[in-house]
Amino acid sequence: MVIIGLLAGIVAPQYFSQIGKSSTKVARAQIESLGQALDQYRLDVGRYPTQDQGLNALRDAPANVPQWRGPYLKRAVPADPWGHAYVYQQPGQHGEYDLLSLGSDGQPGGDGDAADVTSW
């Protein structure tokens, strides 16, 4: 029993740190995919979706946008790997738009898997 407990104490932290890294990689991949859909929207419409339209404009045609040729996503806008909505800001502070996940804690900033994952 002691040996099993010692092994669990050694292996568990390494296992859980890999889960955090995996979630961060998934968030980066989703942000990249959403960025490509946003770029396609911009090519068709001539601008990125407004802040009010948000990422849902990639799936559902916004009112009064006749150039919309979507849907630009095959499925609904995904939540980040931690179950939070992605943050979309347009105009962005770091580019024409900012797209980010607030990490596992759902709060700005943070370290490790609580760190923000951004499009810039």
Side-chain angles (χ1 to χ4, degrees), residues 8-48:
I10 293 169
V11 172
Q14 293 175 354
Y15 172 76
F16 288 115
S17 72
Q18 292 303 316
I19 290 175
K21 288 178 185 176
S22 175
S23 295
T24 300
K25 287 181 182 179
V26 169
R28 286 189 201 290
Q30 286 179 331
I31 286 173
E32 178 68 26
S33 178
L34 290 169
Q36 291 172 356
L38 285 164
D39 290 341
Q40 185 61 50
Y41 179 100
R42 181 177 179 236
L43 286 173
D44 289 349
V45 175
R47 60 172 174 74
Y48 289 108

PDB file of all heavy atoms in Angstrom, residues 8-48:
ATOM      1  N   ALA A   8       1.619   6.851  -6.726  1.00  0.00           N
ATOM      2  CA  ALA A   8       0.528   7.776  -7.055  1.00  0.00           C
ATOM      3  C   ALA A   8       0.952   9.215  -6.787  1.00  0.00           C
ATOM      4  O   ALA A   8       0.618  10.124  -7.549  1.00  0.00           O
ATOM      5  CB  ALA A   8      -0.718   7.427  -6.256  1.00  0.00           C
ATOM      6  N   GLY A   9       1.708   9.414  -5.721  1.00  0.00           N
ATOM      7  CA  GLY A   9       2.189  10.757  -5.400  1.00  0.00           C
ATOM      8  C   GLY A   9       3.176  11.290  -6.417  1.00  0.00           C
ATOM      9  O   GLY A   9       3.301  12.498  -6.615  1.00  0.00           O
ATOM     10  N   ILE A  10       3.890  10.409  -7.077  1.00  0.00           N
ATOM     11  CA  ILE A  10       4.865  10.812  -8.089  1.00  0.00           C
ATOM     12  C   ILE A  10       4.202  10.964  -9.461  1.00  0.00           C
ATOM     13  O   ILE A  10       4.436  11.934 -10.177  1.00  0.00           O
ATOM     14  CB  ILE A  10       6.022   9.788  -8.169  1.00  0.00           C
ATOM     15  CG1 ILE A  10       6.836   9.824  -6.873  1.00  0.00           C
ATOM     16  CG2 ILE A  10       6.901  10.055  -9.381  1.00  0.00           C
ATOM     17  CD1 ILE A  10       7.830   8.689  -6.754  1.00  0.00           C
ATOM     18  N   VAL A  11       3.357  10.019  -9.820  1.00  0.00           N
ATOM     19  CA  VAL A  11       2.768   9.982 -11.150  1.00  0.00           C
ATOM     20  C   VAL A  11       1.630  10.996 -11.300  1.00  0.00           C
ATOM     21  O   VAL A  11       1.508  11.645 -12.336  1.00  0.00           O
ATOM     22  CB  VAL A  11       2.271   8.559 -11.479  1.00  0.00           C
ATOM     23  CG1 VAL A  11       1.482   8.520 -12.772  1.00  0.00           C
ATOM     24  CG2 VAL A  11       3.452   7.606 -11.554  1.00  0.00           C
ATOM     25  N   ALA A  12       0.791  11.170 -10.308  1.00  0.00           N
ATOM     26  CA  ALA A  12      -0.395  12.028 -10.430  1.00  0.00           C
ATOM     27  C   ALA A  12      -0.054  13.462 -10.817  1.00  0.00           C
ATOM     28  O   ALA A  12      -0.677  14.003 -11.740  1.00  0.00           O
ATOM     29  CB  ALA A  12      -1.214  11.993  -9.140  1.00  0.00           C
ATOM     30  N   PRO A  13       0.915  14.122 -10.173  1.00  0.00           N
ATOM     31  CA  PRO A  13       1.218  15.499 -10.595  1.00  0.00           C
ATOM     32  C   PRO A  13       1.687  15.595 -12.049  1.00  0.00           C
ATOM     33  O   PRO A  13       1.329  16.526 -12.759  1.00  0.00           O
ATOM     34  CB  PRO A  13       2.337  15.927  -9.640  1.00  0.00           C
ATOM     35  CG  PRO A  13       2.176  15.070  -8.443  1.00  0.00           C
ATOM     36  CD  PRO A  13       1.653  13.758  -8.967  1.00  0.00           C
ATOM     37  N   GLN A  14       2.465  14.613 -12.490  1.00  0.00           N
ATOM     38  CA  GLN A  14       2.925  14.629 -13.876  1.00  0.00           C
ATOM     39  C   GLN A  14       1.754  14.405 -14.829  1.00  0.00           C
ATOM     40  O   GLN A  14       1.646  15.043 -15.875  1.00  0.00           O
ATOM     41  CB  GLN A  14       3.997  13.574 -14.094  1.00  0.00           C
ATOM     42  CG  GLN A  14       5.278  13.881 -13.355  1.00  0.00           C
ATOM     43  CD  GLN A  14       6.303  12.767 -13.486  1.00  0.00           C
ATOM     44  OE1 GLN A  14       6.037  11.714 -14.036  1.00  0.00           O
ATOM     45  NE2 GLN A  14       7.491  13.020 -12.970  1.00  0.00           N
ATOM     46  N   TYR A  15       0.850  13.523 -14.462  1.00  0.00           N
ATOM     47  CA  TYR A  15      -0.323  13.233 -15.287  1.00  0.00           C
ATOM     48  C   TYR A  15      -1.201  14.468 -15.419  1.00  0.00           C
ATOM     49  O   TYR A  15      -1.599  14.855 -16.510  1.00  0.00           O
ATOM     50  CB  TYR A  15      -1.114  12.067 -14.683  1.00  0.00           C
ATOM     51  CG  TYR A  15      -2.437  11.817 -15.366  1.00  0.00           C
ATOM     52  CD1 TYR A  15      -2.492  11.197 -16.608  1.00  0.00           C
ATOM     53  CD2 TYR A  15      -3.630  12.208 -14.773  1.00  0.00           C
ATOM     54  CE1 TYR A  15      -3.697  10.965 -17.240  1.00  0.00           C
ATOM     55  CE2 TYR A  15      -4.837  11.980 -15.398  1.00  0.00           C
ATOM     56  CZ  TYR A  15      -4.865  11.353 -16.621  1.00  0.00           C
ATOM     57  OH  TYR A  15      -6.066  11.131 -17.244  1.00  0.00           O
ATOM     58  N   PHE A  16      -1.485  15.118 -14.297  1.00  0.00           N
ATOM     59  CA  PHE A  16      -2.374  16.273 -14.336  1.00  0.00           C
ATOM     60  C   PHE A  16      -1.725  17.473 -15.019  1.00  0.00           C
ATOM     61  O   PHE A  16      -2.419  18.285 -15.638  1.00  0.00           O
ATOM     62  CB  PHE A  16      -2.874  16.622 -12.936  1.00  0.00           C
ATOM     63  CG  PHE A  16      -3.875  15.628 -12.421  1.00  0.00           C
ATOM     64  CD1 PHE A  16      -3.588  14.833 -11.323  1.00  0.00           C
ATOM     65  CD2 PHE A  16      -5.088  15.460 -13.053  1.00  0.00           C
ATOM     66  CE1 PHE A  16      -4.506  13.911 -10.859  1.00  0.00           C
ATOM     67  CE2 PHE A  16      -6.020  14.535 -12.611  1.00  0.00           C
ATOM     68  CZ  PHE A  16      -5.724  13.756 -11.504  1.00  0.00           C
ATOM     69  N   SER A  17      -0.425  17.609 -14.960  1.00  0.00           N
ATOM     70  CA  SER A  17       0.222  18.704 -15.685  1.00  0.00           C
ATOM     71  C   SER A  17       0.123  18.466 -17.196  1.00  0.00           C
ATOM     72  O   SER A  17      -0.001  19.417 -17.965  1.00  0.00           O
ATOM     73  CB  SER A  17       1.683  18.857 -15.265  1.00  0.00           C
ATOM     74  OG  SER A  17       2.472  17.798 -15.762  1.00  0.00           O
ATOM     75  N   GLN A  18       0.134  17.211 -17.630  1.00  0.00           N
ATOM     76  CA  GLN A  18      -0.026  16.908 -19.054  1.00  0.00           C
ATOM     77  C   GLN A  18      -1.442  17.209 -19.520  1.00  0.00           C
ATOM     78  O   GLN A  18      -1.646  17.651 -20.647  1.00  0.00           O
ATOM     79  CB  GLN A  18       0.326  15.436 -19.337  1.00  0.00           C
ATOM     80  CG  GLN A  18       1.788  15.111 -19.148  1.00  0.00           C
ATOM     81  CD  GLN A  18       2.687  15.970 -20.014  1.00  0.00           C
ATOM     82  OE1 GLN A  18       2.419  16.190 -21.177  1.00  0.00           O
ATOM     83  NE2 GLN A  18       3.758  16.487 -19.427  1.00  0.00           N
ATOM     84  N   ILE A  19      -2.427  16.983 -18.667  1.00  0.00           N
ATOM     85  CA  ILE A  19      -3.811  17.309 -19.019  1.00  0.00           C
ATOM     86  C   ILE A  19      -3.933  18.805 -19.261  1.00  0.00           C
ATOM     87  O   ILE A  19      -4.561  19.246 -20.214  1.00  0.00           O
ATOM     88  CB  ILE A  19      -4.792  16.833 -17.923  1.00  0.00           C
ATOM     89  CG1 ILE A  19      -4.855  15.316 -17.913  1.00  0.00           C
ATOM     90  CG2 ILE A  19      -6.181  17.424 -18.143  1.00  0.00           C
ATOM     91  CD1 ILE A  19      -5.689  14.741 -16.800  1.00  0.00           C
ATOM     92  N   GLY A  20      -3.324  19.622 -18.399  1.00  0.00           N
ATOM     93  CA  GLY A  20      -3.362  21.068 -18.567  1.00  0.00           C
ATOM     94  C   GLY A  20      -2.714  21.497 -19.872  1.00  0.00           C
ATOM     95  O   GLY A  20      -3.230  22.366 -20.581  1.00  0.00           O
ATOM     96  N   LYS A  21      -1.584  20.884 -20.208  1.00  0.00           N
ATOM     97  CA  LYS A  21      -0.903  21.212 -21.466  1.00  0.00           C
ATOM     98  C   LYS A  21      -1.764  20.825 -22.659  1.00  0.00           C
ATOM     99  O   LYS A  21      -1.829  21.544 -23.652  1.00  0.00           O
ATOM    100  CB  LYS A  21       0.447  20.503 -21.536  1.00  0.00           C
ATOM    101  CG  LYS A  21       1.483  21.074 -20.594  1.00  0.00           C
ATOM    102  CD  LYS A  21       2.783  20.297 -20.687  1.00  0.00           C
ATOM    103  CE  LYS A  21       3.783  20.784 -19.649  1.00  0.00           C
ATOM    104  NZ  LYS A  21       5.007  19.988 -19.650  1.00  0.00           N
ATOM    105  N   SER A  22      -2.432  19.680 -22.548  1.00  0.00           N
ATOM    106  CA  SER A  22      -3.287  19.220 -23.626  1.00  0.00           C
ATOM    107  C   SER A  22      -4.453  20.184 -23.832  1.00  0.00           C
ATOM    108  O   SER A  22      -4.793  20.523 -24.970  1.00  0.00           O
ATOM    109  CB  SER A  22      -3.814  17.822 -23.306  1.00  0.00           C
ATOM    110  OG  SER A  22      -4.731  17.405 -24.291  1.00  0.00           O
ATOM    111  N   SER A  23      -5.062  20.658 -22.756  1.00  0.00           N
ATOM    112  CA  SER A  23      -6.173  21.602 -22.865  1.00  0.00           C
ATOM    113  C   SER A  23      -5.714  22.903 -23.498  1.00  0.00           C
ATOM    114  O   SER A  23      -6.428  23.497 -24.310  1.00  0.00           O
ATOM    115  CB  SER A  23      -6.786  21.867 -21.484  1.00  0.00           C
ATOM    116  OG  SER A  23      -7.367  20.691 -20.969  1.00  0.00           O
ATOM    117  N   THR A  24      -4.528  23.351 -23.156  1.00  0.00           N
ATOM    118  CA  THR A  24      -3.991  24.573 -23.746  1.00  0.00           C
ATOM    119  C   THR A  24      -3.769  24.390 -25.246  1.00  0.00           C
ATOM    120  O   THR A  24      -4.071  25.281 -26.044  1.00  0.00           O
ATOM    121  CB  THR A  24      -2.676  24.972 -23.041  1.00  0.00           C
ATOM    122  OG1 THR A  24      -2.953  25.199 -21.657  1.00  0.00           O
ATOM    123  CG2 THR A  24      -2.069  26.214 -23.646  1.00  0.00           C
ATOM    124  N   LYS A  25      -3.277  23.226 -25.649  1.00  0.00           N
ATOM    125  CA  LYS A  25      -3.078  22.955 -27.077  1.00  0.00           C
ATOM    126  C   LYS A  25      -4.406  22.927 -27.818  1.00  0.00           C
ATOM    127  O   LYS A  25      -4.517  23.429 -28.943  1.00  0.00           O
ATOM    128  CB  LYS A  25      -2.345  21.625 -27.261  1.00  0.00           C
ATOM    129  CG  LYS A  25      -0.878  21.687 -26.899  1.00  0.00           C
ATOM    130  CD  LYS A  25      -0.203  20.352 -27.114  1.00  0.00           C
ATOM    131  CE  LYS A  25       1.260  20.412 -26.695  1.00  0.00           C
ATOM    132  NZ  LYS A  25       1.933  19.125 -26.881  1.00  0.00           N
ATOM    133  N   VAL A  26      -5.424  22.356 -27.198  1.00  0.00           N
ATOM    134  CA  VAL A  26      -6.751  22.335 -27.816  1.00  0.00           C
ATOM    135  C   VAL A  26      -7.276  23.757 -27.976  1.00  0.00           C
ATOM    136  O   VAL A  26      -7.815  24.121 -29.025  1.00  0.00           O
ATOM    137  CB  VAL A  26      -7.736  21.468 -26.992  1.00  0.00           C
ATOM    138  CG1 VAL A  26      -9.165  21.661 -27.471  1.00  0.00           C
ATOM    139  CG2 VAL A  26      -7.346  20.003 -27.062  1.00  0.00           C
ATOM    140  N   ALA A  27      -7.109  24.591 -26.944  1.00  0.00           N
ATOM    141  CA  ALA A  27      -7.553  25.983 -27.020  1.00  0.00           C
ATOM    142  C   ALA A  27      -6.834  26.718 -28.145  1.00  0.00           C
ATOM    143  O   ALA A  27      -7.461  27.460 -28.917  1.00  0.00           O
ATOM    144  CB  ALA A  27      -7.338  26.690 -25.682  1.00  0.00           C
ATOM    145  N   ARG A  28      -5.528  26.509 -28.271  1.00  0.00           N
ATOM    146  CA  ARG A  28      -4.771  27.158 -29.356  1.00  0.00           C
ATOM    147  C   ARG A  28      -5.296  26.718 -30.724  1.00  0.00           C
ATOM    148  O   ARG A  28      -5.452  27.529 -31.639  1.00  0.00           O
ATOM    149  CB  ARG A  28      -3.287  26.830 -29.256  1.00  0.00           C
ATOM    150  CG  ARG A  28      -2.577  27.549 -28.141  1.00  0.00           C
ATOM    151  CD  ARG A  28      -1.060  27.348 -28.219  1.00  0.00           C
ATOM    152  NE  ARG A  28      -0.400  27.591 -26.963  1.00  0.00           N
ATOM    153  CZ  ARG A  28      -0.255  28.769 -26.388  1.00  0.00           C
ATOM    154  NH1 ARG A  28      -0.743  29.836 -26.980  1.00  0.00           N
ATOM    155  NH2 ARG A  28       0.351  28.900 -25.226  1.00  0.00           N
ATOM    156  N   ALA A  29      -5.572  25.429 -30.869  1.00  0.00           N
ATOM    157  CA  ALA A  29      -6.074  24.906 -32.142  1.00  0.00           C
ATOM    158  C   ALA A  29      -7.467  25.471 -32.447  1.00  0.00           C
ATOM    159  O   ALA A  29      -7.754  25.836 -33.599  1.00  0.00           O
ATOM    160  CB  ALA A  29      -6.115  23.380 -32.115  1.00  0.00           C
ATOM    161  N   GLN A  30      -8.321  25.564 -31.438  1.00  0.00           N
ATOM    162  CA  GLN A  30      -9.652  26.114 -31.659  1.00  0.00           C
ATOM    163  C   GLN A  30      -9.583  27.594 -32.019  1.00  0.00           C
ATOM    164  O   GLN A  30     -10.307  28.052 -32.904  1.00  0.00           O
ATOM    165  CB  GLN A  30     -10.533  25.912 -30.427  1.00  0.00           C
ATOM    166  CG  GLN A  30     -10.992  24.482 -30.253  1.00  0.00           C
ATOM    167  CD  GLN A  30     -11.847  24.283 -29.019  1.00  0.00           C
ATOM    168  OE1 GLN A  30     -11.708  24.987 -28.021  1.00  0.00           O
ATOM    169  NE2 GLN A  30     -12.744  23.318 -29.081  1.00  0.00           N
ATOM    170  N   ILE A  31      -8.715  28.340 -31.359  1.00  0.00           N
ATOM    171  CA  ILE A  31      -8.548  29.759 -31.677  1.00  0.00           C
ATOM    172  C   ILE A  31      -8.047  29.919 -33.107  1.00  0.00           C
ATOM    173  O   ILE A  31      -8.512  30.797 -33.842  1.00  0.00           O
ATOM    174  CB  ILE A  31      -7.620  30.441 -30.654  1.00  0.00           C
ATOM    175  CG1 ILE A  31      -8.368  30.627 -29.332  1.00  0.00           C
ATOM    176  CG2 ILE A  31      -7.098  31.776 -31.179  1.00  0.00           C
ATOM    177  CD1 ILE A  31      -7.511  31.127 -28.187  1.00  0.00           C
ATOM    178  N   GLU A  32      -7.126  29.083 -33.519  1.00  0.00           N
ATOM    179  CA  GLU A  32      -6.630  29.129 -34.901  1.00  0.00           C
ATOM    180  C   GLU A  32      -7.767  28.848 -35.880  1.00  0.00           C
ATOM    181  O   GLU A  32      -7.913  29.542 -36.895  1.00  0.00           O
ATOM    182  CB  GLU A  32      -5.498  28.113 -35.083  1.00  0.00           C
ATOM    183  CG  GLU A  32      -4.942  28.044 -36.479  1.00  0.00           C
ATOM    184  CD  GLU A  32      -4.179  29.288 -36.902  1.00  0.00           C
ATOM    185  OE1 GLU A  32      -3.651  29.998 -36.037  1.00  0.00           O
ATOM    186  OE2 GLU A  32      -4.130  29.551 -38.125  1.00  0.00           O
ATOM    187  N   SER A  33      -8.573  27.844 -35.605  1.00  0.00           N
ATOM    188  CA  SER A  33      -9.697  27.495 -36.479  1.00  0.00           C
ATOM    189  C   SER A  33     -10.731  28.625 -36.523  1.00  0.00           C
ATOM    190  O   SER A  33     -11.235  28.970 -37.595  1.00  0.00           O
ATOM    191  CB  SER A  33     -10.343  26.202 -35.977  1.00  0.00           C
ATOM    192  OG  SER A  33     -11.455  25.873 -36.759  1.00  0.00           O
ATOM    193  N   LEU A  34     -11.046  29.199 -35.373  1.00  0.00           N
ATOM    194  CA  LEU A  34     -11.981  30.322 -35.340  1.00  0.00           C
ATOM    195  C   LEU A  34     -11.404  31.519 -36.092  1.00  0.00           C
ATOM    196  O   LEU A  34     -12.137  32.236 -36.788  1.00  0.00           O
ATOM    197  CB  LEU A  34     -12.314  30.702 -33.899  1.00  0.00           C
ATOM    198  CG  LEU A  34     -13.172  29.697 -33.130  1.00  0.00           C
ATOM    199  CD1 LEU A  34     -13.210  30.045 -31.643  1.00  0.00           C
ATOM    200  CD2 LEU A  34     -14.580  29.635 -33.709  1.00  0.00           C
ATOM    201  N   GLY A  35     -10.106  31.735 -35.994  1.00  0.00           N
ATOM    202  CA  GLY A  35      -9.451  32.816 -36.723  1.00  0.00           C
ATOM    203  C   GLY A  35      -9.575  32.638 -38.230  1.00  0.00           C
ATOM    204  O   GLY A  35      -9.806  33.604 -38.963  1.00  0.00           O
ATOM    205  N   GLN A  36      -9.442  31.403 -38.696  1.00  0.00           N
ATOM    206  CA  GLN A  36      -9.593  31.135 -40.123  1.00  0.00           C
ATOM    207  C   GLN A  36     -11.023  31.403 -40.573  1.00  0.00           C
ATOM    208  O   GLN A  36     -11.256  31.966 -41.650  1.00  0.00           O
ATOM    209  CB  GLN A  36      -9.188  29.701 -40.437  1.00  0.00           C
ATOM    210  CG  GLN A  36      -7.701  29.453 -40.288  1.00  0.00           C
ATOM    211  CD  GLN A  36      -7.325  27.995 -40.408  1.00  0.00           C
ATOM    212  OE1 GLN A  36      -8.172  27.117 -40.541  1.00  0.00           O
ATOM    213  NE2 GLN A  36      -6.031  27.717 -40.352  1.00  0.00           N
ATOM    214  N   ALA A  37     -11.996  31.023 -39.754  1.00  0.00           N
ATOM    215  CA  ALA A  37     -13.398  31.289 -40.073  1.00  0.00           C
ATOM    216  C   ALA A  37     -13.662  32.798 -40.074  1.00  0.00           C
ATOM    217  O   ALA A  37     -14.381  33.304 -40.943  1.00  0.00           O
ATOM    218  CB  ALA A  37     -14.314  30.573 -39.081  1.00  0.00           C
ATOM    219  N   LEU A  38     -13.075  33.519 -39.120  1.00  0.00           N
ATOM    220  CA  LEU A  38     -13.227  34.977 -39.083  1.00  0.00           C
ATOM    221  C   LEU A  38     -12.627  35.612 -40.342  1.00  0.00           C
ATOM    222  O   LEU A  38     -13.216  36.549 -40.913  1.00  0.00           O
ATOM    223  CB  LEU A  38     -12.567  35.550 -37.831  1.00  0.00           C
ATOM    224  CG  LEU A  38     -13.322  35.350 -36.521  1.00  0.00           C
ATOM    225  CD1 LEU A  38     -12.408  35.601 -35.319  1.00  0.00           C
ATOM    226  CD2 LEU A  38     -14.542  36.261 -36.474  1.00  0.00           C
ATOM    227  N   ASP A  39     -11.484  35.107 -40.786  1.00  0.00           N
ATOM    228  CA  ASP A  39     -10.861  35.640 -41.996  1.00  0.00           C
ATOM    229  C   ASP A  39     -11.735  35.384 -43.227  1.00  0.00           C
ATOM    230  O   ASP A  39     -11.860  36.256 -44.104  1.00  0.00           O
ATOM    231  CB  ASP A  39      -9.467  35.046 -42.204  1.00  0.00           C
ATOM    232  CG  ASP A  39      -8.457  35.551 -41.178  1.00  0.00           C
ATOM    233  OD1 ASP A  39      -8.701  36.600 -40.537  1.00  0.00           O
ATOM    234  OD2 ASP A  39      -7.416  34.877 -41.016  1.00  0.00           O
ATOM    235  N   GLN A  40     -12.351  34.207 -43.294  1.00  0.00           N
ATOM    236  CA  GLN A  40     -13.240  33.912 -44.419  1.00  0.00           C
ATOM    237  C   GLN A  40     -14.469  34.822 -44.386  1.00  0.00           C
ATOM    238  O   GLN A  40     -14.906  35.335 -45.416  1.00  0.00           O
ATOM    239  CB  GLN A  40     -13.672  32.441 -44.403  1.00  0.00           C
ATOM    240  CG  GLN A  40     -14.498  32.042 -45.599  1.00  0.00           C
ATOM    241  CD  GLN A  40     -13.747  32.203 -46.902  1.00  0.00           C
ATOM    242  OE1 GLN A  40     -12.628  31.730 -47.035  1.00  0.00           O
ATOM    243  NE2 GLN A  40     -14.357  32.861 -47.879  1.00  0.00           N
ATOM    244  N   TYR A  41     -15.010  35.053 -43.200  1.00  0.00           N
ATOM    245  CA  TYR A  41     -16.130  35.988 -43.032  1.00  0.00           C
ATOM    246  C   TYR A  41     -15.724  37.363 -43.558  1.00  0.00           C
ATOM    247  O   TYR A  41     -16.469  38.007 -44.303  1.00  0.00           O
ATOM    248  CB  TYR A  41     -16.517  36.063 -41.551  1.00  0.00           C
ATOM    249  CG  TYR A  41     -17.648  37.009 -41.228  1.00  0.00           C
ATOM    250  CD1 TYR A  41     -18.934  36.524 -41.038  1.00  0.00           C
ATOM    251  CD2 TYR A  41     -17.442  38.376 -41.097  1.00  0.00           C
ATOM    252  CE1 TYR A  41     -19.980  37.379 -40.727  1.00  0.00           C
ATOM    253  CE2 TYR A  41     -18.476  39.244 -40.795  1.00  0.00           C
ATOM    254  CZ  TYR A  41     -19.748  38.737 -40.612  1.00  0.00           C
ATOM    255  OH  TYR A  41     -20.788  39.592 -40.312  1.00  0.00           O
ATOM    256  N   ARG A  42     -14.546  37.813 -43.184  1.00  0.00           N
ATOM    257  CA  ARG A  42     -14.059  39.130 -43.614  1.00  0.00           C
ATOM    258  C   ARG A  42     -13.910  39.207 -45.125  1.00  0.00           C
ATOM    259  O   ARG A  42     -14.217  40.229 -45.748  1.00  0.00           O
ATOM    260  CB  ARG A  42     -12.735  39.453 -42.941  1.00  0.00           C
ATOM    261  CG  ARG A  42     -12.211  40.824 -43.337  1.00  0.00           C
ATOM    262  CD  ARG A  42     -10.930  41.137 -42.576  1.00  0.00           C
ATOM    263  NE  ARG A  42     -10.432  42.432 -42.978  1.00  0.00           N
ATOM    264  CZ  ARG A  42      -9.224  42.650 -43.455  1.00  0.00           C
ATOM    265  NH1 ARG A  42      -8.370  41.645 -43.586  1.00  0.00           N
ATOM    266  NH2 ARG A  42      -8.838  43.853 -43.798  1.00  0.00           N
ATOM    267  N   LEU A  43     -13.433  38.135 -45.747  1.00  0.00           N
ATOM    268  CA  LEU A  43     -13.311  38.125 -47.204  1.00  0.00           C
ATOM    269  C   LEU A  43     -14.670  38.302 -47.879  1.00  0.00           C
ATOM    270  O   LEU A  43     -14.790  39.011 -48.881  1.00  0.00           O
ATOM    271  CB  LEU A  43     -12.657  36.828 -47.678  1.00  0.00           C
ATOM    272  CG  LEU A  43     -11.162  36.688 -47.429  1.00  0.00           C
ATOM    273  CD1 LEU A  43     -10.695  35.284 -47.794  1.00  0.00           C
ATOM    274  CD2 LEU A  43     -10.388  37.737 -48.226  1.00  0.00           C
ATOM    275  N   ASP A  44     -15.689  37.659 -47.344  1.00  0.00           N
ATOM    276  CA  ASP A  44     -17.026  37.735 -47.928  1.00  0.00           C
ATOM    277  C   ASP A  44     -17.725  39.055 -47.619  1.00  0.00           C
ATOM    278  O   ASP A  44     -18.334  39.662 -48.491  1.00  0.00           O
ATOM    279  CB  ASP A  44     -17.902  36.583 -47.429  1.00  0.00           C
ATOM    280  CG  ASP A  44     -17.491  35.239 -48.000  1.00  0.00           C
ATOM    281  OD1 ASP A  44     -16.666  35.207 -48.946  1.00  0.00           O
ATOM    282  OD2 ASP A  44     -17.984  34.218 -47.499  1.00  0.00           O
ATOM    283  N   VAL A  45     -17.652  39.483 -46.376  1.00  0.00           N
ATOM    284  CA  VAL A  45     -18.447  40.616 -45.899  1.00  0.00           C
ATOM    285  C   VAL A  45     -17.684  41.940 -46.023  1.00  0.00           C
ATOM    286  O   VAL A  45     -18.283  43.006 -46.138  1.00  0.00           O
ATOM    287  CB  VAL A  45     -18.913  40.361 -44.445  1.00  0.00           C
ATOM    288  CG1 VAL A  45     -19.639  41.542 -43.848  1.00  0.00           C
ATOM    289  CG2 VAL A  45     -19.791  39.114 -44.396  1.00  0.00           C
ATOM    290  N   GLY A  46     -16.364  41.881 -45.965  1.00  0.00           N
ATOM    291  CA  GLY A  46     -15.563  43.091 -46.051  1.00  0.00           C
ATOM    292  C   GLY A  46     -15.116  43.636 -44.703  1.00  0.00           C
ATOM    293  O   GLY A  46     -14.418  44.641 -44.632  1.00  0.00           O
ATOM    294  N   ARG A  47     -15.522  42.979 -43.649  1.00  0.00           N
ATOM    295  CA  ARG A  47     -15.129  43.370 -42.285  1.00  0.00           C
ATOM    296  C   ARG A  47     -15.360  42.162 -41.377  1.00  0.00           C
ATOM    297  O   ARG A  47     -16.037  41.211 -41.749  1.00  0.00           O
ATOM    298  CB  ARG A  47     -15.936  44.554 -41.789  1.00  0.00           C
ATOM    299  CG  ARG A  47     -17.431  44.266 -41.748  1.00  0.00           C
ATOM    300  CD  ARG A  47     -18.243  45.347 -41.084  1.00  0.00           C
ATOM    301  NE  ARG A  47     -19.654  45.086 -41.191  1.00  0.00           N
ATOM    302  CZ  ARG A  47     -20.327  44.164 -40.497  1.00  0.00           C
ATOM    303  NH1 ARG A  47     -19.698  43.390 -39.631  1.00  0.00           N
ATOM    304  NH2 ARG A  47     -21.619  43.998 -40.665  1.00  0.00           N
ATOM    305  N   TYR A  48     -14.771  42.224 -40.192  1.00  0.00           N
ATOM    306  CA  TYR A  48     -15.007  41.173 -39.201  1.00  0.00           C
ATOM    307  C   TYR A  48     -16.360  41.397 -38.538  1.00  0.00           C
ATOM    308  O   TYR A  48     -16.894  42.515 -38.568  1.00  0.00           O
ATOM    309  CB  TYR A  48     -13.893  41.180 -38.146  1.00  0.00           C
ATOM    310  CG  TYR A  48     -12.571  40.678 -38.685  1.00  0.00           C
ATOM    311  CD1 TYR A  48     -11.518  41.541 -38.919  1.00  0.00           C
ATOM    312  CD2 TYR A  48     -12.386  39.331 -38.967  1.00  0.00           C
ATOM    313  CE1 TYR A  48     -10.309  41.092 -39.419  1.00  0.00           C
ATOM    314  CE2 TYR A  48     -11.181  38.863 -39.470  1.00  0.00           C
ATOM    315  CZ  TYR A  48     -10.150  39.744 -39.695  1.00  0.00           C
ATOM    316  OH  TYR A  48      -8.958  39.287 -40.199  1.00  0.00           O
TER     317      TYR A  48
END
